[in-house]
Amino acid sequence: MRFLVVGAGSWGTAFARVLLDRGHDVVLACHTPEQARAIAETGRNPRYLTHTDLRGVEAVPLEAAPGDVDVVVLAVPSRAFADVAAGLPGDAPVLSLTKGLDPGTGERLSTRVGTRSVAVLSGPNIAEEVAHGLPTAAVIASEDGYLAGQLQHAVNSSAFRAYVNPDVVGVELCAAAKNVIGLAAGAVDGLKLGDNGKAALITRGLAEMARLGEAFGARPETFAGLAGMGDLIVTCWSLHGRNRRAGELIARGLSPEKAVAQIGQTVEGITTAPVLRELSQRVGVELPITDGVCAVLSGESLSELVSRLMGRQPTEE
């Protein structure tokens, strides 16, 4: 198959490598002509996953992206997703790799691709490990069962195992919410609150995700699967996790802006937290950890937040 991967950050770069390893033709649309030129000339991304071999990828600037492809893979930040999707050439189906919500509308990103068929790939997929060929599992969700099966066959391998799931709503809400919980888990690390506290936070975070999903009609089993528990665990514990790292840096005294600058890549949880809070308020679902993350991002003391969360009225689990 012929794939257009839009977005040459870490995840776009790693996924281009996955597709190459499966024998597909891959066009990688880059944010700048300079990045595209560097990849074309050296077979390496000059900024992200610089040791990943991209020889065989056709690198082009975004404005030169071709329309004659079988699938468009979107691996761009959530804040840019809708605009990029609206400007895509051709009418090929879209596979979204972006984990977040549309900041302008609060909608799930799969709803922002117009009339194209759409699928969503999610799960515990740290880009650095995927690029190194380490064992990885992912879930592909779509209301179009044929598209989901086609994509599963296209990417499945001995190193990258793909499952299908019809629950697009649940998979996308998991992908958005887990980044916010990842920020909180990083703050636990930064404050040195211990593994007990971190495990409790992750568990209660999963409960938050499931409550929100239930309100939107998602399947409960999705939250116990790769897109839910699987992605949440790796996001909250991996040293590569940007959201976990940002939370740790904020807990150590950096502003959110300085934390993102030090990481040097998109931290989706910072964008998603206020959008997720607003979404939960629309449907009357309580998300105390998400509310707390928003409070800290707005300047509240982390110590005060921890005291408030631990001092909440005891209740049933």
Side-chain angles (χ1 to χ4, degrees), residues 50-221:
T50 56
H51 296 295
T52 301
D53 185 358
L54 294 177
R55 287 175 295 177
V57 165
E58 180 186 350
V60 300
L62 178 57
E63 56 269 22
D68 59 336
V69 297
D70 297 306
V71 178
V72 178
V73 179
L74 286 182
V76 298
S78 60
R79 64 178 181 273
F81 189 96
D83 287 341
V84 171
L88 290 174
D91 58 359
V94 164
L95 174 62
S96 171
L97 306 187
T98 305
K99 298 179 178 182
L101 298 169
D102 181 60
T105 65
E107 299 297 325
R108 293 180 291 108
L109 295 176
S110 69
T111 68
R112 307 293 288 162
V113 300
T115 59
R116 297 170 185 258
S117 293
V118 61
V120 176
L121 186 145
S122 194
N125 307 141
I126 295 294
E128 289 81 358
E129 295 188 1
V130 172
H132 280 100
L134 296 177
T136 301
V139 59
I140 298 171
S142 180
E143 294 176 359
D144 182 340
Y146 177 78
L147 175 62
Q150 187 181 36
L151 290 169
Q152 179 186 39
H153 178 73
V155 302
N156 195 70
S157 71
S158 58
F160 194 92
R161 182 167 175 80
Y163 296 80
V164 294
N165 186 338
D167 184 15
V168 181
V169 173
V171 168
E172 285 194 283
L173 289 178
C174 284
K178 63 91 184 182
N179 283 329
V180 180
I181 306 303
L183 285 170
V188 171
D189 290 340
L191 294 174
K192 300 186 184 302
L193 297 180
D195 289 337
N196 289 341
K198 189 171 180 178
L201 175 93
I202 293 170
T203 305
R204 297 311 304 161
L206 183 61
E208 281 196 14
M209 292 163 56
R211 279 201 304 273
L212 185 64
E214 181 181 8
F216 283 92
R219 295 167 50 174
E221 55 266 34

